[in-house]
Amino acid sequence: ASDSDISRLATCYWHSVEFGLVKDDSKPNGVAAYGAGLLSSFGELEYACSGKDSHDNDCLPDKNKHQPNYLPWDPEIACTTSYPITTYQPNYFVAESISHAKQRMRLFCEGLSKPFYARYNELTSSVWVDRAVRPKPLNITKNHK
């Protein structure tokens, strides 16, 4: 994958695996967390899922705004949406369901340029690749004195 594609995938990872939300009509604000970054931070979990901050908090992304933006999960948008690493997220992407989030991500990945095709087989816990894949040789130069 190109450096650009890796960056886009990493940003999608941040907005989903780390800070993703999923619709949940049984919850007061209609969302539940599935992202590990949210699940490991009580304060941000409360902020993200309640839609507001109930504390005077230095972690808010905007000190004058006490509620996050909810955006529908779309990897094409998520991959270009910047994010802070030292404050609560200003934007959270909300998936219709976990399976819908996976489906959208798969479609996004299908559009990435790749020199081979690989598929994971859940029954055999193995990866099938459509051709021989060899790593590129490293171009290492030695310093001569």
Side-chain angles (χ1 to χ4, degrees):
S2 69
D3 288 346
S4 172
D5 286 345
I6 291 170
S7 177
R8 293 169 64 209
L9 287 168
T11 303
C12 283
Y13 180 93
W14 181 271
H15 288 300
S16 59
V17 176
E18 290 295 332
F19 292 94
L21 297 173
V22 64
K23 285 188 178 181
D24 184 343
D25 293 333
S26 72
K27 303 292 183 192
N29 205 39
V31 296
Y34 72 89
L38 286 174
L39 297 173
S40 66
S41 169
F42 180 80
E44 188 161 10
L45 180 63
E46 179 182 41
Y47 171 73
C49 292
S50 71
K52 61 184 179 207
D53 182 56
S54 60
H55 310 289
D56 184 21
N57 197 324
D58 288 336
C59 293
L60 292 172
D62 180 344
K63 303 298 183 229
N64 298 317
K65 185 173 182 224
H66 293 272
Q67 61 187 41
N69 295 319
Y70 295 123
L71 305 168
W73 172 241
D74 182 344
E76 290 288 346
I77 294 172
C79 76
T80 60
T81 302
S82 62
Y83 54 87
I85 61 170
T86 58
T87 63
Y88 291 170
Q89 301 304 298
N91 301 300
Y92 295 95
F93 285 89
V94 182
E96 293 292 323
S97 66
I98 296 295
S99 61
H100 184 255
K102 285 171 42 178
Q103 179 185 38
R104 297 290 306 264
M105 196 64 207
R106 266 198 192 120
L107 287 172
F108 174 76
C109 290
E110 289 297 322
L112 300 177
S113 175
K114 45 197 168 291
F116 60 88
Y117 178 78
R119 182 123 182 127
Y120 178 70
N121 184 329
E122 292 180 20
L123 296 174
T124 62
S125 297
S126 63
V127 176
W128 174 83
V129 182
D130 70 346
R131 66 193 70 156
V133 178
R134 295 186 182 119
K136 290 182 181 179
L138 294 175
N139 186 5
I140 300 174
T141 58
K142 294 182 180 180
N143 293 334
H144 296 285
K145 292 184 180 181

